[in-house]
Structure formats: C-alpha cells, structure tokens
Amino acid sequence: MHAEQLAELLAPLKQFAMSIVYPVNVTSASYQTPGPEAIRTFRNMLFERGISNSVRAERGDDIAAACGQLRTHFEQRKQAST
C-alpha cells in the first residue's frame, strides 16, 4: 500500500518529518475521492510506523477550485483550443 511505501521513504527522517495527507479531489480524471475510512486507515498506517501526519482541510471543491481541479480545467481548455 502507498502508506507503507511513504513510511519507508520517510523512516530516516521520521523524527523531523510530518506528512500532510491531501485526499484527491474529483476531477474529469478517473480518480475518486477516498472515503473517511480509507483516509483514516492511511493515516493510521503512517502513525503506526512513527510518521506524524494530518489531513488537509478540503476547500474549493464546491466551486471546482480544489487542488487538481483547476489544473484539469486548464488542461481541458488548452486541448480544446488546439
């Protein structure tokens, strides 16, 4: 799982590192926003491996301006104009 891979990468720095978890936002790509249980599981796996972490508050999703959504919109407009 990705949490295990991340924890392994951060292991040498775990006393200094803090991971901020960004749940993916819905875009036109095939990504799905993870549910609360998936986010909790991911965070717990990091905590169990000594990696401090927090979840970033979601903002802008209601107006399609959340992380990743603006970039997707920009790319679609760019492709449409070529």
Side-chain angles (χ1 to χ4, degrees):
M1 176 172 233
H2 292 106
E4 292 169 345
Q5 292 172 329
L6 180 59
E8 186 176 321
L9 286 171
L10 294 176
L13 304 170
K14 68 182 173 184
Q15 63 196 28
F16 307 110
M18 178 176 173
S19 177
I20 300 175
V21 178
Y22 286 77
V24 69
N25 294 296
V26 175
T27 66
S28 63
S30 61
Y31 299 118
Q32 297 280 332
T33 301
E37 185 59 34
I39 294 168
R40 193 170 17 263
T41 298
F42 188 90
R43 291 189 68 205
N44 286 342
M45 291 178 88
L46 291 176
F47 277 129
E48 289 168 3
R49 288 158 180 79
I51 306 298
S52 178
N53 66 80
S54 65
V55 176
R56 182 175 185 267
E58 296 179 47
R59 296 188 179 103
D61 187 47
D62 57 332
I63 59 170
C67 188
Q69 293 176 323
L70 290 175
R71 178 68 179 180
T72 300
H73 179 71
F74 172 77
E75 289 296 326
Q76 287 174 340
R77 288 183 64 190
K78 184 177 169 184
Q79 289 175 355
S81 67
T82 56

